[in-house]
Amino acid sequence: MKYKIALIGCGRISFKHIEAFVAMQDKVDLVAVCDPLVERAEEKKAEYTKAVSDAAVRVFADYKEMLAACKPEVVTIATESGKHKDIAVHCLQNGAHVICEKPMALSTADAQVMIDTAKQHDKTLAVCFQNRFNAPVVKAREAYEKGRFGKMLHGMIQVRWNRNKSYYDQAKWRGTWEQDGGTLMNQCTHGIDLLQWMMGEDAVRVQAQTRRFIRPIDAEDFGCAIVEFASGAVGIIEGTADVYPKNLNETLSLFGTDGSVVIGGLAVNKMETWRFADAEQVGDTEEKVLNPNEKDPPTVYGFGHTALFRDVIDAIEHNREPLVSGEKGKKALEIILAIYKSQKTGLPVTLPCDFSTLEMKGIFN
């Protein structure tokens, strides 16, 4: 079966959606693209039809009109973060499964509304944490699920990137509390998702510091935090958009009693350390696993969108949860909001917590 799919939002990340649609011609037909700036939607249509010449893709400025006219079975949402909730809820209520770019929302309450709406209408809701599908991450997760790490002790995510003034000037919503949040919510959310996923998904306490050092935004351009997990394990978060003069690395480090893994590169795409107590027995010693010729992806967005979209379509077909369901996507969001709350209050924050980026307005004034 092939599914009618539509794209809502044709900005910076949308080319990865188009790439995935092209790669998944066996499973999806792109029927519509939508953006209030119609010329951007026309560009995405052109990208798709260049590869799929016989496609009939319609262009819309209004997503509600698009849903009514085309009735897509699946939509992907790549708009400003602050608009995700309202768009997703409308799509779910009108018969479409939803794949939403990260972060799924800017408050825990809005994220829960999305989750509840999907359940009420028996629709699939997924979040674009595509780095879960990076080959080194998949390999580390397999080791985790087999218990090869032993007891998880601590882990760390470092996101050391550059987002300069021109980046924020391209779209006025970037870096605002109303529509975006800061570096942790936008650039670091993928890494925070990976950290909590690999440490047990049971974060219970967060203590943090954030700063707006140099970027011309409302929100933070640097943040660090300590995350305590129910297991007793500890996670460390470091994220910045201030690295001079360009992106440096995104690195996930994981340490257990019986295993150590470090995945680095531009966007958690290179295995840098692979050491397990049972490596000789399993036959995957570090010398066999590491690939010194492994290349960085052309952008920090990596290669995972197609794999994630395929997982969602398969989940719809087989009536199962996708790997990154709405509930899973909310976990990283809640940690980031707890970091913000910790910055605002100066105190540790216990999870679960109820918070919104709007409560941070004026924090750095």
Side-chain angles (χ1 to χ4, degrees), residues 255-297:
F255 303 103
T257 55
D258 300 320
S260 298
V261 168
V262 177
I263 307 171
L266 180 64
V268 284
N269 55 273
K270 291 181 180 180
M271 191 72 78
E272 296 181 350
T273 302
W274 180 268
R275 300 171 185 170
F276 285 94
D278 63 357
E280 291 285 352
Q281 176 185 346
V282 173
D284 63 351
T285 59
E286 194 168 51
E287 292 76 14
K288 292 181 179 180
V289 170
L290 301 192
N291 176 10
N293 298 316
E294 197 163 19
K295 303 295 185 184
D296 280 324

Side-chain angles (χ1 to χ4, degrees), residues 9-24:
C10 297
R12 183 181 175 94
I13 191 62
S14 60
F15 79 100
K16 298 302 296 184
H17 292 232
I18 297 297
E19 281 183 6
F21 302 153
V22 171
M24 294 174 61

